[in-house]
Amino acid sequence: QVCTFPCSCPSQPLQCPVGTSHVWDGCGCCKVCARQLGELCSLHRPCDHHKGLYCDFSKIRRGSGICLANEGATCDLLGKIYLNGESFQPTCKLQCICMDGAIGCIPLCSDDLRLPSPECPSPRRVKFHNKCCEEWVCEEGAEENRFGTAMAVFREAPAHKPELNSLQENCLVQTTEWSMCSRSCGMGISTRVTNDNPQCRLEKENRLCMVRPCDFSVEKTKKGKKCVRTPKQRQSLHFEFSGCTSTRSYRPRFCGSCSDGRCCTPFLTSTMDVEFHCPEGDFFQRKMMFIKMCSCHYDCPRDNDIFLATYHRRMIGDHI
């Protein structure tokens, strides 16, 4: 009765606080900013179900309720207890949420890197006393040395081709190898740093990765062999990420296992765009790693030892 059709939604883009989901209203008409723990909610102002919140209408009358969290473990951070589903800011640089005993945070400050350029020959980060996040400033030295550092990462434009003076066309592309997947099974993240962008600025890139599913059963090794390095999935599957499912099915290769104590990890990979479809009706694309070949080695990551691990292997031969 409170829904009106046809739907009428604001024309302006939705602006929500950092860490707040965009969700459909109860009528299925418009995307709105999800209400958070302890806030008032209604059919037109639903709670953030991605964080396990629901609208309890038993506390308040007249079609309004209050957002409560489903039962779950609390979080302890530096002696302070946070409820399941509660959002908080431990510092001005982080926005965090407690989700069933686990704390997840997103940075509020940019972690981009910046290369020297003719317009900014000596960039450096500066902390201002009235601002939380550091900002890039450009220092100019002597006039004769102004372009010295900048030219180290920029090609000189030929005199007969003045149209090549744009930053992108003169940029010497620098790209690191992809890091190893953040998880040994299931969906994880792999990162690299590149300046292959219109601003010729070093930025971090992410891609999804899956070395093997967590319920992956490796076929038995043949007689005389100790490893099954790169078995291919017999049946096609849909990838799942944050509750959303890939629109296409795939038959990816995964890394197997070794019976002689060695680790089996990706060695040769490629990167493709994968489209995902969410229950709310949204579509989005993410870069994802696809394995071409795995290798067995003794340079294994140590369990629960992120500081002393000697695991420095990198994947090679990647192309998009």
Side-chain angles (χ1 to χ4, degrees), residues 73-87:
T74 59
C75 301
D76 184 350
L77 181 63
L78 301 176
K80 188 171 182 179
I81 303 298
Y82 297 95
L83 301 176
N84 178 37
E86 183 177 358
S87 296

Side-chain angles (χ1 to χ4, degrees), residues 32 76 122 133 146 194 199 201 219 253 292:
V32 295
D76 184 350
S122 302
C133 302
R146 181 175 179 183
T194 181
Q199 293 77 32
R201 179 179 296 180
E219 60 189 77
R253 292 182 182 274
K292 292 188 172 183

